Amino acid sequence: MLIGRQAELAGLARYFSSAKASEGAMVVLAGEPGIGKTSIAEAAAEHARAAGMVTLRGRAGSTGPAIPFRPLAEALLSLARTERIPDDETLTPYLPALGRLVPDWARPEPRETSLIVLAEAILRLTSWFGRDRGCLLVIDDLHWADRETLTVLDYLASNLRDQPVLVLATVRLGASAAAELVKTLAQRGDAVHLELERLDRAGTTELVASILGCSPDEVGEPVAKHLYAQSRGNPFAAAELTRCALSTKDLVRRPSGWRLVGGTRRQVPLSIVQAVEQRALQLGPDGMRLLSVAAIIGRTFPLPVVQRCVGLDDRTLLTHVRAAIAERLLTGGDGTPGWYSFEHPLTEEALLSLTTAADRVALSSRVAQAIAELYPGLPGTWCHLAADLHRRAGDLPEAARLYLETARRALHAGGQATAIAVLDDALGMLAAGPGEPAWRELRWELLETLLTALAEDGQFDRAAEVAAELRLGNPLWDTGHQVRQHVRMAWAAQVAGRWEDGVRQVAVARSLLPPDAPESDTAVIDVVDAHITACRTGADADHVSRSEALARRAIRGVAPGDDPETACKAWFAIGFSTRSRSLAESDEGYRRTLALGTEHQLMTWRNHGLIGLGGNTWLADGEGTALEYAYRETLRSGCITLATNVHANLAYAAVLRADFEEADRILTASLAECGRLRLQSVIRYALMLRAVAAAHRGRRQEMRTALREFRAAGGETSREAPLAKGLAELFCALLTEDREGARALAAELMADYGGMETYFHFSGTYGLVPLLGAVDGTGDPAEVEQAAASQVGQMRWNRQFLAFARAVHHGRAGRVEAAAEAVDAAVADSAVFPTARHLGLRLVAESALADGWGEPGRWLTEAENHFHGSIDVLAGACRSLLRQTGRPVRYHGSGTERIPPKLRGLGVTRREFEVLQLMPERLGNRALSQRMHISVRTVEKHVASLLAKLQAADRTTLCEYATTVLADSTPG
């Protein structure tokens, strides 16, 4: 039982209950060494297991801090030993990421390298195991954790509130990256920071009594006073001092209780070092040497390495180990055969301080040699430990080479931050070394690897500094090498969305080659340039065509067998850059991407090919099956980041087919997941789609709110900006009968984007704008036919509007049969787009009624039925036009069910409510009459009635009132 920590355990028990109720949290136990953090964590884990919770435990180790995710891997491995692999389709996409930590869960597909995806995978895994009983994840000794682990814990802490997971971590007080993180999390409210206090005099006496096996009353006053004064209430210090006094016979039992004896003949140890030393000396010279070698290795060590260094036979070695365990210097560790640990980190540190500098050098060299012999290739943490040992032994070149290998392994495992830390340390070590050629070459290798790590970590500015340093006097820095490094930085800039930096890197890379350089030399530059060029919006009108030309040149210069990844990138660039000209050519680009990705097991690019082909099918026919298949395949292979993009595309399709419930579900999930994964580009795209979803329901205020968020996320200058203006604002203006606003938006759309190539094709320039021009009588029939002949105009969404526009032009010219055929074609094309179909019918009916052709009565009736109860203003416009046809207007009831109860109670009628819905736009009476297709006098009457019923002082107050009420009630 823990002494003096009942309050802490009781507090943790409350968090156990909350976790079981899916109210997760992160709790951090902080304190000085020896304060009892680990003991409390161990007791908490036992209580959690007893309460039925799934319990995982991992510990950061001082021997290998540069190996990414060690404590997380240890925790998940402990789970894998006791639990079966999760058989749940919601977790399947994350198994490739988890396979980085648990080999049994690995998949043949390439692993997702994003730290955030790995963090999300751990969150989902622990939530899955804890869904019925709660899950406790214990991370001990967080102060030794690598930065990748800290990043994952930062993510977990921010996303535990609605999960059945409790994360319990321990950390030492003092300066460390972990301590800074804990401080930040506590300030953010994402973690509970519990700083453990030392025991008081009574608690220390109770602890001493438990070690002595007696009651506190039997611990004499002098003994209690002395041990409390020497330990200052630190539990580990008090325990060590007590055990040391027992072993040296300075503490003995008398009939009256425990007493200190010997007076001044033997001084009681005044520090933990002295306490550990005295107990270690009980083991004899061989035992002391064994402990010294073990301390050189670290807190946890394998006995075979120690045995090789000290040269003891098995029997003698085990005798000393058992004696050290009996003295509470060592423990059996985590149960792994042949591995042992020091009872406490302070024990290890005390033993190290007892060795002289010369002894540490000699022992470090000997241990490094033993590790190399016993563990060929230095797998896992051994590489970093061997590097440290060679450094302590003074062999700096070998230490640097091993640090370099450690960093490369960390990079391969996705641990860029760890690689950077190791390389910085190694470079600092070599800074004071001699300027011999071998040292300089080693330093260049370290810098080159550092440049790669910085680029992959997104530290573009520092990468540029390292590149500049590499150029100074580096004999390895030839032209080809420079080109590759600038290309790598350009790709990093492209991924980070720093287009202008990417452009500059591409320019520098090109300047290093002669003007007539063969395409085989320029291919790697061309392909990254193709991607950057396509993504840069507003740079020039033909950026998509230039992207295609660059990609095709890269294809000619690259041999797929030699560099399949570059070939995949090039074919994918061809796929997206040819969409607006030829879907057949675009399909070919995506098929080549798919084939190469499959052949060379480049799963990410295989998925890109599937997504491109699925997207093309949807653009051409409005059919989403292939896109849904691509989404499932992307999830199955664990490419989570890529899957979020496809998921948003499925929301796009759902909005256009008016499945708003499905679109809302996808967008809510997508924004939450992208927020956790920090995918800013997908967040911006989803915000744009949320605005479109609101627009297609005629919810103007909701659309404007979403557009503000979209623009705050950088949407104003993004690739999605044309969609926001056309598919959202223009479409909503037409749905809400704001014809004047629609005309202005159409003019802006054509002025800003009419002549520019774009990655997105449904902004309206090839569909809705020509239809509006036809209805207004300002459009040119030849322009409609020209748009219809283009690839973009043949995409189904645009095709429906162009057919409606063609019908209007035919009808106005008296070609009644051709007009009717065009309407039939439009109706057929719009079958999968209900909102667009009925908006088109309403607009065409207006022209047909004015020009005397077609069946405007039937079309208006169909449109009115569709929009009644969802977009009242548009339904009202349909009814007004229907009255002009002489056709009876269907009675739908009072329509008051859509009026908020508060307004119904004040006597607001359905027609008055329709006026009130338009008041936030601050329109004049004439504009209101045009929007509602009623007379100005009728509008004046309704406004006067609203002023009276709502007791509004003036029209401005009425507008403000309407904005508030409509926002609260969110009417359709």
Side-chain angles (χ1 to χ4, degrees), residues 56-357:
L56 303 74
R57 186 178 176 195
R59 180 176 59 80
S62 60
T63 60
I67 301 302
F69 316 115
R70 171 178 169 169
L72 297 170
E74 187 176 311
L76 294 186
L77 286 168
S78 71
L79 180 69
R81 286 193 291 268
T82 58
E83 300 282 351
R84 295 179 57 188
I85 184 171
D87 183 17
D88 189 297
E89 63 179 14
T90 62
L91 286 174
T92 300
Y94 290 89
L95 291 179
L98 292 168
R100 298 168 68 176
L101 308 184
V102 183
D104 290 347
W105 294 349
R107 291 293 181 269
E109 297 87 355
R111 301 172 301 190
E112 171 70 68
T113 59
S114 165
L115 283 183
I116 303 302
V117 170
L118 176 62
E120 176 71 12
I122 293 173
L123 178 66
R124 295 197 180 208
L125 180 77
T126 51
S127 297
W128 189 86
F129 276 110
R131 63 196 185 283
D132 298 322
R133 44 187 172 160
C135 178
L136 172 65
L137 171 59
V138 178
I139 302 295
D140 203 9
D141 292 338
L142 194 60
H143 42 276
W144 281 326
D146 56 278
R147 285 193 281 176
E148 282 75 24
T149 293
L150 297 181
T151 298
V152 170
L153 290 176
D154 185 359
Y155 180 91
L156 292 177
S158 300
N159 294 282
L160 287 171
R161 287 186 177 84
D162 57 351
Q163 305 297 325
V165 180
L166 173 64
V167 175
L168 177 61
T170 69
V171 66
R172 280 187 185 180
L173 293 176
S176 69
E180 286 300 314
L181 172 63
V182 170
K183 179 181 178 182
T184 300
L185 293 177
Q187 290 173 342
R188 253 175 22 207
D190 287 337
V192 178
H193 183 220
L194 300 179
E195 185 171 330
L196 300 179
E197 301 290 339
R198 294 177 178 179
L199 298 177
D200 57 13
R201 168 79 176 270
T204 303
T205 302
E206 187 179 354
L207 174 63
V208 170
S210 70
I211 295 171
L212 298 176
C214 66
S215 68
D217 294 340
E218 294 179 82
V219 179
E221 174 65 18
V223 173
K225 180 179 180 180
H226 177 77
L227 291 176
Y228 180 66
Q230 295 298 308
S231 68
R232 297 178 181 269
N234 182 290
F236 174 75
E240 288 297 303
L241 290 167
T242 302
R243 294 186 183 111
C244 181
L246 282 171
S247 66
T248 58
K249 309 297 185 185
D250 283 348
L251 185 61
V252 297
R253 186 162 194 166
R254 296 285 187 252
S256 58
W258 288 91
R259 294 288 181 270
L260 288 169
V261 298
T264 59
R265 289 181 298 104
R266 180 177 291 161
Q267 184 180 3
V268 175
L270 301 177
S271 69
I272 296 300
V273 174
Q274 291 171 314
V276 171
E277 179 185 26
Q278 294 233 9
R279 288 165 54 216
L281 287 173
Q282 305 300 314
L283 306 181
D286 286 343
M288 188 68 176
R289 192 165 73 254
L290 180 155
L291 292 175
S292 297
V293 170
I296 289 291
I297 298 174
R299 169 135 186 229
T300 301
F301 57 90
L303 205 53
V305 173
V306 175
Q307 184 176 24
R308 180 157 296 212
C309 292
V310 298
L312 298 176
D313 61 76
D314 292 350
R315 183 173 181 179
T316 304
L317 183 75
L318 290 174
T319 297
H320 285 303
V321 168
R322 293 190 187 103
I325 292 174
E327 287 290 336
R328 303 295 296 275
L329 295 167
L330 297 181
T331 181
D334 62 359
T336 304
W339 283 76
Y340 293 85
S341 298
F342 286 99
E343 178 77 16
H344 194 276
L346 291 178
T347 305
E348 170 200 352
E349 295 171 13
L351 287 165
L352 277 177
S353 71
L354 293 171
T355 59
T356 66

Side-chain angles (χ1 to χ4, degrees), residues 700 729-731 733-734 738-747 772:
R700 205 159 191 169
E729 292 185 276
L730 173 58
F731 201 91
L734 290 171
D738 181 8
R739 192 68 60 83
E740 184 178 344
R743 292 188 189 100
L745 287 164
L772 179 59

